[in-house]
Amino acid sequence: MKLLPAVLGLALLLLVLCPNGVEARPAPTGGHEKKSSSATFFVFGDDFADNGNLPPTEPVTEMSRQWAYPYGSNYVDADGFPRPNAPSGRFSNYKIQPDFIATMLGLEEAPPAHARTAEKTCDPSGMTFATGGAAVLDSTSHEVPTFTKQVDTFRKMVKDGTITEKQLTHSVALVAFSGNDYASTGVIGLSSPNDINAYIGKVTKEMAANVEQLLNLGVTKVLVNNLHPVGCTPSQTRTNNYTTCDIFENLGASIHNNNLKQVMTAKKNVHIVDLYTTFINIVDHVPGKGSEQSKQFKRKLSPCCESLDSKGYCGQQGELSTELLYTVCDKSNKFFYWDDMHPTHAGWEAVMKQLEKPLREFLDQD
């Protein structure tokens, strides 16, 4: 789940030089409580939106770390009481983007993970199909469902009546992919700007085709994340001691976002969620400068949970379970990033405060 490797960054430099070449609790049994005006919510994507589809393992691995301490370490229960060390399958210390959108829809949190829900059932609040490590195209090394496969699962549930017409009547889908396509072996080796641009175009066209499928299946509104500034993630800023974003990695994200905007513009009932701008508004400022949301973070480019090894991961243990190969900050609310690529609860909260007004305006449209 490493985003946009250096080889892509170097290749994107050619685009500048040759512009013409251009983390869930087990599914509740009684359903999530909703307000009467709320919609049914369906979530597609990768680790930015997964709340339990990747399974826990023993011992913990990089692909299952979201089920172990320190993930979920800021969790509070339904009554607001802290329950430290309560990992929930989310790649964060508490809530992630779908949880905040769910609140706007009148839900308590994102709908349960598909993998943790009984077969032939769907929670009244909806379902999360997003899976950590997932990509849009079928070109990653991880054996996790692509966007197309997630939509196929959704389609089967609609066709067999597990997801009902009533649930689709006021339904909202979130499509949240954070760049795994650009960390895959399919990108490595692309040396020309034309090849890179074609690959990015392939990713965004596949996204558009699947969004169209969701609309055709009866989803009434679709939210689609654009790509966040991947050059600002700690996995990319670690080499300069977490001081500056990698402009070439961010250029790649911008090219993706321009393509995405083009293929989505003509679609009705689709809203692009501008993660790129909202992240930049927070992280691309020196300490103490920028927006109010930005000023709350003393550490904008460094992770709260940091691996001791540049190739390791947050939560990694040595051969002895008592040997911890990572460190955790004392005040996670002062850090925008939780680990090497995912925001903290406070980070997501600051992002969603910026996005709340345009999201509500879109969701309230008839």
Side-chain angles (χ1 to χ4, degrees), residues 62-112:
E62 185 175 9
M63 292 289 283
S64 67
R65 66 191 189 276
Q66 67 281 9
W67 288 108
Y69 182 85
Y71 288 82
S73 53
N74 287 78
Y75 176 74
V76 296
D77 63 23
D79 296 317
F81 294 107
R83 281 180 54 193
N85 192 17
S88 61
R90 291 164 170 81
F91 289 83
S92 185
N93 56 318
Y94 184 22
K95 290 184 178 180
I96 55 177
Q97 183 193 14
D99 295 306
F100 290 98
I101 294 176
T103 301
M104 295 182 199
L105 297 173
L107 308 173
E108 290 186 353
E109 60 182 4

Side-chain angles (χ1 to χ4, degrees), residues 51-195:
N51 64 352
N53 279 309
L54 275 182
T57 62
E58 184 61 47
V60 171
T61 67
E62 185 175 9
M63 292 289 283
S64 67
R65 66 191 189 276
Q66 67 281 9
W67 288 108
Y69 182 85
Y71 288 82
S73 53
N74 287 78
Y75 176 74
V76 296
D77 63 23
D79 296 317
F81 294 107
R83 281 180 54 193
N85 192 17
S88 61
R90 291 164 170 81
F91 289 83
S92 185
N93 56 318
Y94 184 22
K95 290 184 178 180
I96 55 177
Q97 183 193 14
D99 295 306
F100 290 98
I101 294 176
T103 301
M104 295 182 199
L105 297 173
L107 308 173
E108 290 186 353
E109 60 182 4
H114 172 258
R116 302 183 67 78
T117 305
E119 198 171 340
K120 299 292 184 182
T121 63
C122 179
D123 192 85
S125 67
M127 184 165 284
T128 296
F129 299 91
T131 307
V136 176
L137 302 178
D138 194 8
S139 57
T140 63
S141 58
H142 302 303
E143 294 183 1
V144 294
T146 61
F147 188 15
T148 298
K149 290 178 181 175
Q150 292 176 27
V151 173
D152 283 345
T153 300
F154 175 78
R155 179 189 294 106
K156 291 174 184 175
M157 295 179 73
V158 170
K159 297 300 183 185
D160 70 14
T162 302
I163 295 172
T164 65
E165 287 188 21
K166 184 179 179 181
Q167 285 180 299
L168 291 171
T169 302
H170 298 289
S171 56
V172 175
L174 170 67
V175 176
F177 285 93
S178 60
N180 289 314
D181 288 274
Y182 305 120
S184 70
T185 54
V187 180
I188 297 174
L190 296 179
S191 57
S192 77
N194 280 341
D195 287 346

